Amino acid sequence: MSDLPNCPACGSEYTYQDQAMFVCPECAHEWQEAESSASADEGVIRDSNGNVLQDGDTVTVIKDLKVKGSSAVVKVGTKVKNIRLVGGDHDIDCKVDGIGAMKLKSEFVKKA
């Protein structure tokens, strides 16, 4: 039996290795070994610096963020305490002082 990973695109088990690349004969997807280990990390949410975020962390906003449907702005350097991680495009659920409950993208925060 071979220890080759399944295809990350279609899940096929019939993959083969071609020099440094893995190839799927069913969907013609090609990837490197580093990508297959990164796909195992997909459930991990990271901040803009690559630090792993967890529920209850405190983060700092790194960019002015406009609040949709309002003239309010979340300023650079705003600390957000006790975050909750959720799935989706906006993967942080939190309460910002002066604004209220909102969702943030992890790419616009850094761990404090």
Side-chain angles (χ1 to χ4, degrees):
M1 299 287 320
S2 67
D3 293 329
L4 296 175
N6 290 350
C7 176
C10 70
S12 172
E13 60 185 26
Y14 302 112
T15 58
Y16 62 91
Q17 190 168 4
D18 184 23
Q19 296 180 3
M21 303 288 287
F22 291 108
V23 181
C24 175
E26 292 185 9
C27 69
H29 180 70
E30 295 182 5
W31 72 99
Q32 292 183 355
E33 187 172 357
E35 291 178 26
S36 65
S37 64
S39 64
D41 263 358
E42 284 182 15
V44 176
I45 297 175
R46 298 181 183 273
D47 69 355
S48 61
N49 295 331
N51 298 322
V52 177
L53 296 174
Q54 297 176 348
D55 286 345
D57 281 347
T58 299
V59 296
T60 305
V61 177
I62 63 167
K63 177 182 174 184
D64 281 346
L65 302 173
K66 294 180 182 178
V67 178
K68 189 173 183 179
S70 172
S71 61
V73 175
V74 179
K75 296 282 187 181
V76 171
T78 303
K79 286 197 177 210
V80 180
K81 300 177 184 175
N82 199 17
I83 64 170
R84 187 170 61 109
L85 302 177
V86 295
D89 187 32
H90 292 75
D91 43 14
I92 298 175
D93 200 10
C94 61
K95 288 185 181 177
V96 178
D97 291 337
I99 295 177
M102 66 183 306
K103 294 185 177 219
L104 298 172
K105 290 185 177 184
S106 59
E107 62 195 59
F108 298 125
V109 299
K110 67 178 181 178
K111 197 170 187 176

